[in-house]
Amino acid sequence: MKTDQNRRTFIRTTALAAAGIGIGANSFAESLYTSSRYGAAVGSRVGIIGLDTSHVIAFTKALNSPNPGPEYSGFKVVAAYPYGSKDIKSSYERIPGYIEDVKKMGVEITDSIASLLDKVDFVLLETNDGRLHLEQALQVIAAGKRFFIDKPIAASLADASAIFSAAKKANVGVFSASSLRYSVGAQEIAGGKYGKVLGAETFSPCHLESTHPDLFWYGIHGVETLFTVMGPGCKQVVRASSPDVDVVVGTWNDGRVGTFRGLRSGKLGYGGTVFTEKATVQIGEYGGYNPLLKQITDFFKTGIVPVSSVDTLDMCAFMEAADESKRKGGKPVSLAAMYARVPKKSR
């Protein structure tokens, strides 16, 4: 009976659309989707661009669970465009398996970003290759869809600036963050539990990818933790580098000093020590993906960005300055010098 009803609805809607009676192409697609097996009403449909990172599996499992947490406000992943990098092996090799994984969770696979955008209200831009993010983000912005960009926001400060500039001009909400930002310890420290942060030393794995500036690919996790507790406002960076480790020391405008240690040997992990007015505290364990996902769905619902573009751009400038310091044999490099390289149209 239910199948017959759905079939009658489909035929009626198709006939109306063909006759041009009170229904446009977009609302036609929305009507079909609302009555589909995915069970997501218009206004709660999430689309994914890029199926080449484990993040998409974690996010889809949480949102499309038979019993999702109420904190996700009924959002469901209904469609995905799978393709991303064509030359980063660790990315493109994952795509076939992840396509099958998300299909089992009720996600439709589309053949283009344009097709995806017709079916969804919000977007998770998950392509692992940051070089593609500007081109992909501009399509989402043109469609007027609120969206989240997973780390790295881009593969350069210039591209990250261009994304935020285009989004602002179009009045489209967007933010980017690593899940490390939302570990309990980092949030408590940033929230002032121990008073003012006087300095910090964070660490994370820092595997390199030749297509990206060194810290953008994986070191960004520890850099984001550093900026979570220190805040924006770093003015200068010095980097020491060897095959096994990177140490990047930043001096903030108010004289505070923060250090990131990127690990490529020994036991790898995430964490750090923070020096505050009241105590010296450990950031603690990584809290998984769900705290970030809660921030994303809250943003989809309210439009309030939890991480400002200033924070994200300062992180990009910090990471590019670290590369420049390495090229200069460990000499200090200012973030202002990195910002000066960004084309004016992208600022």
Side-chain angles (χ1 to χ4, degrees):
M1 180 64 72
K2 186 174 182 180
T3 300
D4 291 342
Q5 289 173 344
N6 287 342
R7 183 173 180 273
R8 287 196 295 270
T9 300
F10 177 87
I11 293 171
R12 178 177 178 276
T13 307
T14 305
L16 287 173
I21 301 174
I23 188 166
N26 286 341
S27 55
F28 172 51
E30 290 177 355
S31 176
L32 292 180
Y33 232 75
T34 303
S35 62
S36 75
R37 65 187 176 91
Y38 302 110
V42 173
S44 63
R45 303 168 304 170
V46 177
I48 293 176
I49 296 175
L51 295 179
D52 58 355
T53 169
S54 60
H55 298 187
V56 300
I57 304 303
F59 289 159
T60 305
K61 279 183 177 179
L63 295 182
N64 290 22
S65 166
N67 297 295
E71 66 270 22
Y72 301 136
S73 303
F75 289 99
K76 299 284 185 182
V77 178
V78 299
Y81 172 71
Y83 298 107
S85 181
K86 295 181 179 179
D87 59 355
I88 300 177
K89 186 177 181 180
S90 63
S91 291
Y92 66 71
E93 282 189 336
R94 297 173 175 177
I95 293 174
Y98 286 165
I99 287 175
E100 295 306 313
D101 288 342
V102 299
K103 284 170 66 176
K104 292 174 184 176
M105 292 184 275
V107 177
E108 177 185 356
I109 302 301
T110 69
D111 60 3
S112 68
I113 291 176
S115 176
L116 172 88
L117 293 171
D118 282 340
K119 301 173 185 293
V120 304
D121 307 298
F122 307 98
V123 173
L124 299 170
L125 202 168
E126 295 291 324
T127 306
N128 217 16
D129 188 343
R131 295 171 299 171
L132 305 179
H133 285 182
L134 175 57
E135 176 187 353
Q136 295 173 331
L138 289 176
Q139 295 179 68
V140 181
I141 291 167
K145 309 289 184 179
R146 200 172 291 163
F147 67 117
F148 166 77
I149 304 179
D150 216 326
K151 65 82 196 165
I153 184 173
S156 69
L157 172 61
D159 277 8
S161 297
I163 289 169
F164 283 125
S165 178
K168 182 177 181 180
K169 185 175 182 180
N171 196 30
V172 173
V174 59
F175 87 99
S176 179
S178 159
S179 55
L180 271 292
R181 177 175 286 271
Y182 293 103
S183 67
V184 173
Q187 286 297 305
E188 288 180 345
I189 294 165
K193 180 176 180 179
Y194 304 99
K196 181 181 178 180
V197 172
L198 305 177
E201 298 174 351
T202 66
F203 61 88
S204 78
C206 190
H207 309 301
L208 306 181
E209 166 52 51
S210 62
T211 60
H212 288 60
D214 287 352
L215 305 187
F216 276 64
W217 187 248
Y218 219 88
I220 189 171
H221 290 301
V223 172
E224 181 123 30
T225 307
L226 181 64
F227 274 77
T228 300
V229 297
M230 292 286 289
C234 181
K235 68 176 183 178
Q236 178 179 283
V237 163
V238 175
R239 176 180 175 184
S241 183
S242 77
D244 290 338
V245 68
D246 281 297
V247 177
V248 185
V249 180
T251 302
W252 265 245
N253 290 323
D254 57 6
R256 295 178 302 147
V257 174
T259 302
F260 164 66
R261 187 177 187 89
L263 309 173
R264 287 186 289 276
S265 66
K267 182 174 174 56
L268 306 182
Y270 306 90
T273 302
V274 182
F275 309 96
T276 75
E277 291 177 308
K278 298 179 181 179
T280 297
V281 294
Q282 299 302 308
I283 291 175
E285 296 182 357
Y286 168 51
Y289 297 117
N290 288 351
L292 171 59
L293 184 57
K294 171 66 164 56
Q295 295 293 321
I296 294 169
T297 54
D298 283 351
F299 160 66
F300 286 165
K301 183 168 58 175
T302 67
I304 300 172
V305 295
V307 183
S308 76
S309 60
V310 172
D311 290 62
T312 303
L313 292 175
D314 257 18
M315 286 172 47
C316 292
F318 176 97
M319 293 186 291
E320 285 200 355
D323 264 20
E324 185 69 10
S325 178
K326 179 183 178 180
R327 282 191 288 269
K328 292 184 174 182
K331 291 183 178 180
V333 174
S334 72
L335 271 66
M338 300 299 99
Y339 279 114
R341 295 179 177 180
V342 176
K344 289 184 178 180
K345 65 180 180 180
S346 298
R347 296 180 189 173

